[in-house]
């Protein structure tokens, strides 16, 4: 039984964690499938934006499958931790913009997947957090690194060391999520946000993301050099010429990703 459901609609890809009976918890087979799907997205030039979500209305993902975890040896646990970290880094490094569409519970590894995405849109019934210290472990799939970079060291320490479960309203106040909506309008609001990305040049989107991501952890002059190189990639594209023509003709540009 496949645990990851992949759909592509025009230039938009949907990746659904499809183990609703387990609240979309990650077992090893699911991580392998997610890795394969992520790689296929990375090399697909027709995909411009990616949405990650969870099947059902109860959870985005509650993280590691603790029922499986109880049956694993220490070596197998290390294998799983390595794999989940590797997969989430691959998702973070996707050239396309990524959105976590969150409904219900997002704990542990589920929250770490959301943090690996560029944007997080959550319904107001969502409950989320890096709760690992309550289980005697720590976030092991990027949570201790991505959360402080997103919201600052002090707030990240507070959330991780207390294993706090955030309501959606608290999450937006902490700066964890991008947009708050209702369960009924979650898909609609995510679609509106997605359309605001798809309206723009796909090469420009990827190069802007590259410049920001790679420039964040270097000094300013190195970051500016990264930005210039990323800009130079957009100069010879057909999309840049199309945008200039569309502006002069007072119409919406039609980007082809070339």
């Amino acid at each position: 039984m496949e645990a990851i459901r992949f759909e592509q609609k025009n230039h938009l890809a949907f990746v659904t964690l499809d183990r609703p009976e387990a609240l979309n918890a990650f077992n090893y087979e699911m991580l392998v499938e997610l890795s394969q799907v992520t790689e296929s997205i990375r090399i697909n030039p027709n995909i411009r934006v990616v949405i990650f979500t969870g099947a059902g209305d109860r959870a985005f993902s509650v993280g590691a499958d603790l029922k499986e975890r109880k049956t694993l040896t220490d070596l197998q646990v290390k294998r799983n931790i390595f794999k989940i970290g590797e997969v989430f880094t691959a998702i973070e490094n996707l050239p396309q913009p990524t959105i976590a569409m969150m409904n219900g519970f997002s704990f542990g590894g589920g929250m770490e997947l959301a943090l690996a995405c560029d944007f997080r849109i959550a319904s107001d019934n969502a409950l989320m957090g890096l709760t690992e210290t309550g289980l005697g472990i720590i976030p092991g799939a990027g949570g201790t690194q991505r959360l402080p970079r997103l919201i600052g060291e002090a707030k990240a320490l507070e959330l991780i060391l207390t294993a706090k479960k955030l309501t959606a309203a608290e999450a937006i106040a902490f700066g964890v999520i991008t947009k708050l909506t209702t369960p009924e309008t979650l898909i609609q609001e995510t679609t509106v946000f997605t359309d605001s990305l798809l309206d723009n040049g796909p090469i420009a989107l990827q190069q802007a993301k590259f410049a920001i991501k790679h420039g964040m952890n270097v000094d300013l002059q190195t970051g500016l050099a990264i930005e210039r190189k990323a800009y130079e990639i957009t100069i010879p594209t057909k999309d840049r010429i199309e945008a200039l023509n569309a502006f002069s003709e007072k119409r919406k540009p039609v980007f082809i990703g070339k």
Side-chain angles (χ1 to χ4, degrees):
M1 180 178 176
E2 293 186 355
I4 300 294
R5 183 160 24 101
F6 173 80
E7 300 174 82
Q8 184 178 345
K9 297 179 180 178
N10 297 319
H11 298 298
L12 179 61
F14 292 87
V15 179
T16 304
L17 311 178
D18 198 9
R19 297 185 70 215
E21 74 287 348
L23 298 180
N24 301 316
F26 294 104
N27 59 16
Y28 186 68
E29 289 73 20
M30 189 181 196
L31 293 172
V32 171
E33 287 182 34
L34 184 58
S35 178
Q36 293 168 344
V37 168
T38 300
E39 178 61 20
S40 71
I41 290 171
R42 186 184 70 81
I43 62 175
N44 189 333
N46 293 316
I47 295 175
R48 299 182 183 178
V49 179
V50 188
I51 293 175
F52 291 88
T53 192
D57 58 3
R58 298 177 61 198
F60 177 71
S61 172
V62 293
D65 187 334
L66 297 183
K67 289 183 179 179
E68 178 197 54
R69 186 65 61 87
K70 286 179 65 176
T71 70
L72 302 180
T73 66
D74 286 353
L75 283 177
Q76 288 172 321
V77 172
K78 289 181 180 179
R79 173 203 65 183
N80 283 28
I81 293 171
F82 177 82
K83 190 65 177 179
I84 196 170
E86 177 186 61
V87 173
F88 290 176
T89 296
I91 289 170
E92 181 178 45
N93 290 334
L94 281 172
Q96 302 95 336
T98 54
I99 302 167
M101 186 169 69
M102 305 165 70
N103 194 26
F105 301 134
S106 301
F107 297 136
M111 189 64 205
E112 288 176 298
L113 170 57
L115 291 171
C117 293
D118 300 319
F119 308 102
R120 287 151 295 282
I121 300 177
S123 62
D124 57 18
N125 70 339
L127 195 63
M128 63 192 72
L130 296 176
T131 54
E132 288 90 342
T133 57
L135 296 170
I137 54 175
I138 71 169
T144 66
Q145 302 306 303
R146 294 189 178 102
L147 187 63
R149 284 169 168 78
L150 180 66
I151 66 172
E153 179 183 334
K155 289 181 179 179
L157 278 167
E158 176 186 346
L159 295 183
I160 293 173
L161 271 58
T162 63
K164 182 174 175 59
K165 296 177 180 178
L166 293 169
T167 65
E170 289 173 326
I172 201 163
F174 267 89
V176 173
I177 62 176
T178 310
K179 189 176 180 63
L180 181 61
T181 181
T182 66
E184 296 76 20
T185 60
L186 178 59
I187 295 175
Q188 177 186 348
E189 291 292 330
T190 304
T191 300
V192 170
F193 185 80
T194 301
D195 287 344
S196 71
L197 300 173
L198 291 171
D199 282 343
N200 302 319
I203 296 174
L205 289 179
Q206 293 189 15
Q207 291 305 312
K209 175 177 174 176
F210 180 91
I212 293 169
K213 292 280 188 180
H214 288 267
M216 278 294 293
N217 298 311
V218 299
D219 64 89
L220 177 60
Q221 292 306 312
T222 303
L224 291 172
I226 291 170
E227 180 186 77
R228 284 193 295 273
K229 289 296 184 182
Y231 191 110
E232 287 172 4
I233 289 174
T234 70
I235 293 174
T237 62
K238 293 180 180 179
D239 281 350
R240 186 181 74 87
I241 303 303
E242 163 62 12
L244 291 174
N245 292 335
F247 177 79
S248 63
E249 296 166 11
K250 297 181 180 179
R251 60 174 174 81
K252 186 176 179 180
V254 179
F255 294 117
I256 60 173
K258 294 182 180 179

